[in-house]
Amino acid sequence: PQHFSIMSQVEMGYWGIRGLGAVLRMVFEYKEAQYTDVQFTDGGKWFKEKKPEILAKNPLANLPYVVDGDTVVCQTNAIMAYLGQKYDMEGKDAREKLRHLELLCEIYDVRNGMIELVYPFKKVNRDDEEFKASAKEKVENPPFAKFESCLEVYGGDWFVGGDGPSVADFHIWEMLDQHKILGEKHGQPALLDKFPKCKAFYDRFRALPTLQKYFASDSYKLPINNPNAAAYFS
């Protein structure tokens, strides 16, 4: 079995936006972990300086990354699975751990839908008018029916186990929040009302005591998506 040092200083690296980094920052804050949040606002700092250093330790170097002692983890879902193991936030038994992996993959599909919506380089929405039409459709038909069903079928306050949030819950919350903000900007301020169990989960998560410092911090106020990449919604 893998042994983890809970008290070790962890370094995470990501762009200076919420994006995928918000999920990791919230996990560390929730666990009151010792961590360094390296935010890259200059592509050169990442590509020319830090990436070669990470590449020397992991050929899959990318953002986000996590350095935990001698362990260097890249690829978002691998990082989230690693943190789930490290902090015992992946479910108690084999069935819950499998559900945790399923949810990490499912919410990443939702994340990919947001990326296709907001970034011109994805060539899905080639200009602002196409973005506005797609955003209107997105907020009128938010992608959370499966997550509502999960809470109905599994019961409980959280998506994986009954004792508290798993790492997957953090990514699900982040995507609920991003869609909620998108809805507020595009005429659907009550977007979460369509999913009462998800809305209750959203409120329950938002009230977690050890996350209040994060929600009051500059990290929560970072752009959601990268304005340097001409994101329509940031």
Side-chain angles (χ1 to χ4, degrees):
Q2 190 165 5
H3 298 285
F4 301 96
S5 171
I6 300 300
M7 298 308 293
S8 62
Q9 178 85 17
V10 179
E11 176 185 315
M12 65 158 283
Y14 192 63
W15 300 112
I17 61 173
R18 277 172 61 175
L20 296 165
V23 184
L24 308 184
R25 294 175 191 123
M26 286 192 291
V27 170
F28 292 133
E29 290 291 339
Y30 173 72
K31 294 302 293 184
E32 299 181 289
Q34 298 294 315
Y35 75 105
T36 302
D37 179 9
V38 182
Q39 297 181 9
F40 296 94
T41 54
D42 172 1
K45 291 282 186 187
W46 163 243
F47 289 109
K48 295 179 182 176
E49 297 180 21
K50 190 67 178 184
K51 188 173 185 180
E53 178 188 324
I54 300 296
L55 273 171
K57 301 172 183 175
N58 187 329
L60 301 179
N62 207 341
L63 294 177
Y65 68 78
V66 159
V67 179
D68 186 11
D70 295 332
T71 302
V72 180
V73 195
C74 302
Q75 289 297 334
T76 304
N77 276 349
I79 293 170
M80 293 188 190
Y82 176 80
L83 295 180
Q85 294 174 350
K86 178 180 175 73
Y87 295 126
D88 194 19
M89 293 170 62
E90 58 172 352
K92 296 188 296 297
D93 54 32
R95 182 174 294 182
E96 286 189 355
K97 289 176 182 179
L98 178 59
R99 187 193 310 167
H100 186 247
L101 288 174
E102 289 177 328
L103 285 163
L104 286 176
C105 295
E106 191 67 39
I107 196 60
Y108 208 95
D109 287 347
V110 174
R111 147 87 182 174
N112 282 341
M114 178 66 84
I115 295 305
E116 290 184 352
L117 175 72
V118 304
Y119 284 114
F121 69 80
K122 299 301 285 187
K123 295 184 169 57
V124 175
N125 295 307
R126 294 160 296 181
D127 57 38
D128 197 54
E129 287 308 307
E130 288 188 0
F131 163 71
K132 286 176 181 173
S134 296
K136 182 175 184 294
E137 182 178 345
K138 174 80 76 177
V139 299
E140 288 175 355
N141 300 282
F144 295 110
K146 288 183 179 180
F147 299 94
E148 187 76 4
S149 294
C150 283
L151 291 174
E152 288 171 359
V153 170
Y154 301 137
D157 290 343
W158 310 104
F159 278 91
V160 173
D163 327 355
S166 68
V167 173
D169 289 73
F170 286 74
H171 202 179
I172 293 167
W173 187 89
E174 175 65 19
M175 294 317 302
L176 286 167
D177 196 42
Q178 291 188 20
H179 283 76
K180 176 177 177 286
I181 294 167
L182 185 71
E184 289 165 354
K185 290 175 180 262
H186 293 273
Q188 293 287 337
L191 177 149
L192 296 185
D193 288 354
K194 298 178 181 180
F195 309 101
K197 290 189 179 298
C198 285
K199 186 174 187 296
F201 159 79
Y202 176 94
D203 293 338
R204 189 179 304 118
F205 184 102
R206 182 64 176 77
L208 287 167
T210 55
L211 285 179
Q212 298 315 301
K213 186 173 80 169
Y214 167 77
F215 289 126
S217 74
D218 290 340
S219 291
Y220 183 57
K221 299 178 182 71
L222 286 169
I224 291 173
N225 299 296
N226 201 335
N228 293 336
Y232 299 118
F233 167 52
S234 59

